[in-house]
C-alpha cells in the first residue's frame, strides 16, 4: 500500500509556482486526516461498461463495438474489464472469448450468478477472473431467487472452490447489501474469506446508501475479512461517486465504474467523475496510473453506440465543466486558476473558457480580454466603460466573444484615430448596431 | 424540529401491504441512527436557479422567463427563491422587483457581495431577505478581492446590521469555505451570529469537499453558532448531493439547489436529485411538503430556456430512471417493485418500464408479459422456449416490445390452432422473418 498522501491542496499545487508563494496552510484544515486503512491513494478500477453498462436501457453492443470499447478502456489504463455473463446468450459467451483474445493489459472478468453451470461456462471463456453475485437481502430472497442463507453459503463455497481450482481469480458479492441482515452478511463474507476468495463485494443495488452508512459497513467488513473489498454503487439518489470515495476511505480496494455511468436505471459512478474525485485527493496517483486524457475518447464511442448525448453537466468533459461566467469568478480565475478550479483542465486535455459577454460580467475579465487582444492603449477606466456597455447590451441578449471583441476593437480604434471612443459607446445602443460593426470587421476594425 | 424518523425501509414501505408481510428487519442494519442534531427530516430548500443557475454558461433569462421559472418553482413548494444581485445590471434590479411583486408562497432572496452599495440596492427591491457572500480562503483573499480578515469582519458587521435594521432576513456566507482557515471561519461566523444574523453559509465553491469533511466542518460550526446553517456545494467531483445530505446529518438547516443542477461549471445539487435523496431518508416529510410531481415541468421549462437536453441519467425524470433490463432484475421487480426500486415512480408521476426484448432477458419477465397479454394457454415451458428464441434474436439486434408481442401472439396462435408453436420458433431465425409477422399483425396475429 502506498504511503498516505494528505492534503489535496498541496498535491494539486505542488508544481505551481504561483501558488507556492501563497500564505496557504500546507494542510487544508478540513482535509480529514487519512485513516490508516484508507485506500484513497491506492485503489483499483473494475470497469463495468461491458457488463453493468450493457444493462443500460439503450445498450446493444455488437462484438466489434465491445472490442472497440475494451481497447479504448485499456488505453485509459483501468485495472479490470468486467463482461456480461457468458450464460446470458451464445453471443455473450463468444464475446468473452473474443475480448480475452485481445491480450489487453487490463485483467478480464466476467460476472455470473452464484451457480455451477454459470461458473463452468465462465471458466471456458478463458477470463482471468470471475465475479460471482447473489442477493442476500430479504427482498431478494423473498421475491427473486427464494433461497435461504444456508443454501446461499453452501452454493457459494462450491462455486468459489471450483473457480479457484481452475486457477482463476474469484470475487464473491452480495446484492442489495445495504438492505441485508448485517450478521448474515458478515457471516458469509467471513466464510468465503476463509476458503480463499480474492475479493468480497458490497453492492448498493438499489441506490439507497449514503456515505456515512457506507463508511460504517466497509469499516466493519474490513475488520472481518483479510481479502480485498470491492464496492458497487448505484446513483438513483446522487451518492454513487461520494459513496465510492467514502468506501475507499474505510478500506475498500476496488471500485466499479462505467463510461458515463451507464447501467440499470440511471447507472453507477461514471469513470470520468470517479477519476475527477480521486484526482482531487491524490492527483499524483491518478495521473501516474491512468491516462485521463483518454476518457473523452471512450465516452464518445460509448455515447454514440448507445445513442445518448454526453450530459451538459458531465464530469470533466461536459461542455461547461471548465466555463467560468460570474464576474467575480472570471476576475479571480484570470489571476490564478486555482481560485475557482480544483481540476486543472490541461491535465484532462481540456481548455478553460471564461465567458465575459453577459450581464454578470466584471471589468477585470474584460480587462483580461483587452490584454489578450494586446489593445495596450486601453486603460482600466476604458475597461470599466466597456464593461458597463456590455452589461447594458447583455440585459437584452448575451454577447458572444466575437461580439465583445468587435466592441473592444471599435472602441480602441476610435480612441486611437479621433478620440471618439466614448461616442462609440453612446451610439451603440442595440445589438443590431453591434452586428453592423461586426459585418464591417474585416474592413476597418481588426487590430 | 420534527422527531427523527429512522429507517427508510420502514418509511418507504409503510403503506405497502406486500412488503409488510416480509421478514424484514424494521430498522435497516446500516441506516445509521440519526444524530440528535440531524435535520434530514426537517430541512429547507433555497432554490438558486435564478442566481447560481444564471451563472450557467448557456443561461440568459428574460424577465418573462424568470417569472415563469419562479412560478413553476413555487408550485414545487421550495422554501426560498434566490435571485441574481440587483447590482449585476439594471435589468437584474428590475427582475428582483418583478418577482417580489408576484406574491409567491416562497420567500424571495437576493444574493450580493458584502458591500454597502449592493446591500442598499437589495433593500430597494423589496425582497424578504439578503444572502451576503465574501471569499475567505487565502486563494480568494490573494487573487480575488485582496481583503484581510479584519476588513472582512468590519464590513460584514456593517452590512448585516444595515440589512437587519431594514427588517429583512440576512444570511452571511463565506466562499470557498473548505479552503479557508478554520479559526478565521469560526471566528467570523461567531461574530455575525452574535449580532443576530439569521443564517450563516458554508460554500464549497470549487467542488473539492467530500462527505466526511463536510460532516466534520458542519458539526463543528453547529457547536459555535445558534443561527441556521445553509450549505452550497458544487459538483465538480460528484459529491454535491451526498455532501448536502451529510451536511443535514451534521445539523445544517438549508440546502441550495438549482433545476437540473445548472450553475458555474457543472453546477450544484439538482433540485430533483436532492429531493430523491431526501425522499429515501424521509418520504413523508418530502411528499407532505413538496410537490415532487411538479419537478418535471420546471425542468422542461429550464432545459428549453438554456438550450440543453435533460441528461439521460437525470434523477427521477431521466428517461431510464425507472427502466429495468437484466433478467434477474426484471423477474424480481415484477414480483415486488421494492426489490430493485428505492423510489416509487408513481410518487413522482413517472412510470416503471421493464425491458424484455434483449439478450439479458429472463423467462420470468417474459412470463409476466404473457400474463399482461392474457395469453392464458401458455405455460412456463412455453415462456422458457420463447425466452431462448428472444435471446437468440437479440444477439443480432434487440427487439422492441411490439416485436416481442408479435412473437408471443404468433406462438400462442400456433399452439391453439394446430399445435405448431415449436415450429414457429424453429422457422423464426431472422429479424426480417419477425418483421414479416409484424406486418401481418393486423391480419391474423392479434390476440
Amino acid at each position: 500500500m502506498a504511503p498516505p498522501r494528505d492534503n489535496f491542496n498541496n498535491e494539486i499545487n505542488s508544481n505551481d509556482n504561483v501558488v507556492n508563494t501563497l500564505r496557504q496552510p500546507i494542510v487544508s484544515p478540513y482535509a480529514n486526516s487519512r485513516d490508516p486503512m484508507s485506500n484513497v491513494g491506492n485503489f483499483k478500477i473494475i470497469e463495468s461498461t461491458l457488463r453493468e453498462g450493457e444493462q443500460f436501457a439503450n445498450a446493444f453492443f455488437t462484438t466489434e463495438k465491445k472490442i472497440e470499447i475494451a481497447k479504448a478502456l485499456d488505453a485509459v489504463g483501468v485495472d479490470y474489464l468486467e463482461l456480461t455473463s457468458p450464460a446470458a446468450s451464445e453471443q455473450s459467451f463468444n464475446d468473452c472469448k473474443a475480448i480475452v483474445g485481445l491480450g489487453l493489459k487490463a485483467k478480464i472478468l466476467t460476472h455470473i450468478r452464484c451457480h455451477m453451470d454459470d461458473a463452468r461456462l465462465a471458466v471456458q471463456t478463458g477470463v482471468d477472473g470471475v465475479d460471482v453475485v447473489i442477493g442476500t437481502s430479504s427482498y431478494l430472497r423473498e421475491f427473486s431467487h427464494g433461497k435461504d442463507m444456508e443454501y446461499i453459503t453452501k452454493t457459494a463455497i462450491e462455486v468459489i472452490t471450483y473457480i479457484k481450482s481452475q486457477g482463476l481469480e474469484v470475487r464473491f458479492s452480495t446484492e442489495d447489501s445495504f438492505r441485508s441482515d448485517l450478521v448474515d452478511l458478515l457471516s458469509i463474507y467471513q466464510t468465503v474469506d476463509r476458503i480463499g476468495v480474492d475479493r468480497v463485494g458490497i453492492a448498493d443495488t438499489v441506490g439507497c446508501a449514503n456515505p456515512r452508512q457506507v463508511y460504517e459497513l466497509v469499516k466493519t467488513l474490513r475488520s472481518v475479512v483479510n481479502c480485498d473489498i470491492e464496492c458497487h454503487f448505484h446513483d438513483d439518489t446522487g451518492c454513487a461517486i461520494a459513496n465510492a470515495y467514502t468506501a475507499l476511505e474505510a478500506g475498500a480496494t476496488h471500485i466499479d465504474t462505467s463510461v458515463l455511468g451507464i447501467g440499470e436505471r440511471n447507472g453507477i459512478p461514471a469513470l470520468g467523475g470517479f477519476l475527477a474525485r480521486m484526482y482531487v485527493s491524490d492527483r499524483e496517483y491518478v495521473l501516474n496510473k491512468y491516462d485521463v486524457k483518454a476518457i473523452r475518447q471512450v465516452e464518445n464511442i460509448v455515447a454514440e453506440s448507445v445513442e445518448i448525448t454526453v450530459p451538459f453537466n458531465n464530469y470533466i468533459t461536459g461542455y461547461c465543466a471548465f466555463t467560468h461566467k460570474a464576474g467575480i469568478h472570471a476576475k479571480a480565475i484570470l489571476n490564478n486558476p486555482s481560485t475557482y478550479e480544483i481540476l486543472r483542465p490541461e491535465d484532462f486535455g481540456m481548455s478553460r473558457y471564461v465567458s465575459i459577454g453577459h450581464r454578470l460580467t466584471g471589468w477585470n475579465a474584460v480587462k483580461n480580454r483587452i490584454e489578450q487582444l494586446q489593445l495596450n492603449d486601453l486603460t482600466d477606466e476604458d475597461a470599466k466603460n466597456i464593461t458597463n456597455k456590455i452589461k447594458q447590451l447583455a440585459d437584452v441578449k448575451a454577447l458572444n466573444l466575437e461580439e465583445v471583441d468587435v466592441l473592444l476593437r471599435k472602441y480602441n480604434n476610435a480612441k486611437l484615430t479621433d478620440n471618439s471612443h466614448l461616442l462609440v459607446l453612446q451610439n451603440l445602443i442595440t445589438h443590431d448596431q453591434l452586428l453592423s460593426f461586426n459585418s464591417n470587421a474585416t474592413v476597418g476594425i481588426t487590430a
Side-chain angles (χ1 to χ4, degrees), chain A:
Chain A
M1 197 167 88
R5 295 181 196 82
D6 278 309
N7 177 24
F8 50 86
N9 288 325
N10 194 35
E11 289 290 332
I12 296 290
N13 303 311
S14 54
N15 301 321
D16 192 331
N17 290 331
V18 178
V19 176
N20 283 342
T21 64
L22 268 177
R23 298 153 309 175
Q24 177 73 7
I26 297 297
V27 176
S28 162
Y30 314 115
N32 37 315
S33 53
R34 211 170 274 183
D35 296 286
M37 68 280 199
S38 174
N39 287 314
V40 160
N42 183 33
F43 58 87
K44 291 195 172 70
I45 294 175
I46 296 182
E47 226 298 331
S48 190
T49 301
L50 298 178
R51 197 281 293 176
E52 178 73 46
E54 200 173 10
Q55 293 174 223
F56 172 58
N58 276 21
F60 173 80
F61 298 130
T62 61
T63 308
E64 295 66 38
K65 190 54 70 177
K66 284 185 179 180
I67 288 172
E68 187 183 1
I69 292 169
K71 286 179 174 170
L73 284 169
D74 204 45
V76 175
V78 298
D79 304 87
Y80 293 84
L81 297 180
E82 186 181 64
L83 312 180
T84 292
S85 171
S89 74
E90 192 182 336
Q91 192 59 52
S92 301
F93 178 85
N94 292 332
D95 289 346
C96 281
K97 292 214 291 189
I99 290 170
V100 166
L102 296 175
L104 301 177
K105 292 191 297 292
K107 285 191 186 179
I108 310 299
L109 305 172
T110 189
H111 180 266
I112 63 166
R113 293 168 298 186
C114 188
H115 195 290
M116 279 302 288
D117 292 347
D118 289 13
R120 286 192 198 95
L121 270 181
V123 168
Q124 287 172 35
T125 63
V127 290
D128 300 297
V130 183
D131 285 350
V132 177
V133 67
I134 193 162
T136 44
S137 79
S138 305
Y139 285 96
L140 294 175
R141 282 155 62 190
E142 181 97 359
F143 296 104
S144 177
H145 54 66
K147 310 293 197 298
D148 64 18
M149 285 307 296
E150 194 185 348
Y151 177 88
I152 291 172
T153 307
K154 186 172 157 288
T155 315
I157 292 173
E158 185 186 7
V159 168
I160 292 165
T161 307
Y162 167 72
I163 296 169
K164 281 201 65 79
S165 77
Q166 303 297 307
L168 271 60
E169 190 173 317
V170 59
R171 179 214 70 182
F172 175 82
S173 180
T174 63
E175 244 193 326
D176 201 7
S177 314
F178 290 85
R179 297 192 301 175
S180 298
D181 179 83
L182 179 60
V183 179
D184 283 351
L185 273 192
L186 295 179
S187 165
I188 195 161
Y189 286 136
Q190 189 171 56
T191 301
V192 298
D193 183 46
R194 283 180 179 155
I195 64 168
V197 83
D198 295 283
R199 272 189 320 282
V200 290
I202 288 176
D204 179 20
T205 311
V206 298
C208 69
N210 65 61
R212 292 175 66 232
Q213 285 179 311
V214 169
Y215 188 80
E216 288 306 313
L217 178 56
V218 174
K219 197 174 74 168
T220 303
L221 179 57
R222 185 66 288 168
S223 71
V224 168
V225 299
N226 292 309
C227 61
D228 285 341
I229 298 174
E230 173 180 342
C231 289
H232 181 89
F233 295 106
H234 276 264
D235 202 35
D236 301 72
T237 63
C239 292
I241 290 174
N243 284 342
Y245 179 80
T246 311
L248 292 174
E249 288 189 308
T253 55
H254 294 63
I255 297 295
D256 294 4
T257 68
S258 72
V259 176
L260 297 166
I262 61 168
E264 285 277 353
R265 305 186 310 280
N266 81 332
I268 64 168
L271 174 63
F274 174 68
L275 281 173
R277 175 67 254 170
M278 301 320 298
Y279 166 104
V280 169
S281 295
D282 201 330
R283 175 171 176 263
E284 196 186 323
Y285 182 81
V286 169
L287 295 187
N288 286 341
K289 189 170 173 196
Y290 302 104
D291 181 0
V292 295
K293 291 178 181 164
I295 293 170
R296 196 177 198 177
Q297 171 67 5
V298 69
E299 284 183 348
N300 289 342
I301 294 170
V302 170
E304 192 187 0
S305 167
V306 304
E307 297 176 353
I308 56 173
T309 307
V310 173
F312 74 93
N313 56 357
N314 193 43
Y315 306 106
I316 301 171
T317 65
Y319 74 86
C320 54
F322 297 105
T323 297
H324 303 272
K325 185 168 173 187
I328 191 173
H329 285 216
K331 170 188 171 183
I333 207 98
L334 294 166
N335 278 333
N336 175 3
S338 294
T339 45
Y340 285 103
E341 256 171 16
I342 197 74
L343 308 168
R344 286 188 193 167
E346 58 271 28
D347 280 344
F348 298 90
M350 304 294 292
S351 299
R352 177 179 307 114
Y353 179 62
V354 179
S355 168
I356 58 176
H358 51 79
R359 65 166 73 121
L360 309 178
T361 197
W363 74 271
N364 284 281
V366 173
K367 182 183 166 190
N368 178 271
R369 186 64 187 165
I370 288 171
E371 287 164 2
Q372 284 177 346
L373 297 177
Q374 299 186 305
L375 307 179
N376 301 326
D377 295 289
L378 300 189
T379 64
D380 285 2
E381 195 59 32
D382 292 323
K384 286 174 185 172
N385 290 338
I386 296 166
T387 304
N388 286 336
K389 176 53 68 178
I390 291 174
K391 281 172 176 277
Q392 205 180 327
L393 287 164
D395 259 345
V396 181
K397 184 174 161 299
L399 283 66
N400 63 32
L401 194 59
E402 193 183 356
E403 289 168 331
V404 171
D405 288 355
V406 168
L407 177 56
L408 291 172
R409 286 176 165 143
K410 180 72 183 169
Y411 183 100
N412 183 60
N413 218 32
K415 186 175 182 184
L416 294 186
T417 49
D418 56 6
N419 218 30
S420 65
H421 47 291
L422 292 180
L423 211 60
V424 165
L425 296 185
Q426 282 164 31
N427 290 339
L428 184 65
I429 47 174
T430 68
H431 274 66
D432 284 347
Q433 289 167 321
L434 183 66
L435 290 173
S436 79
F437 286 159
N438 207 358
S439 60
N440 296 330
T442 47
V443 186
I445 306 177
T446 37

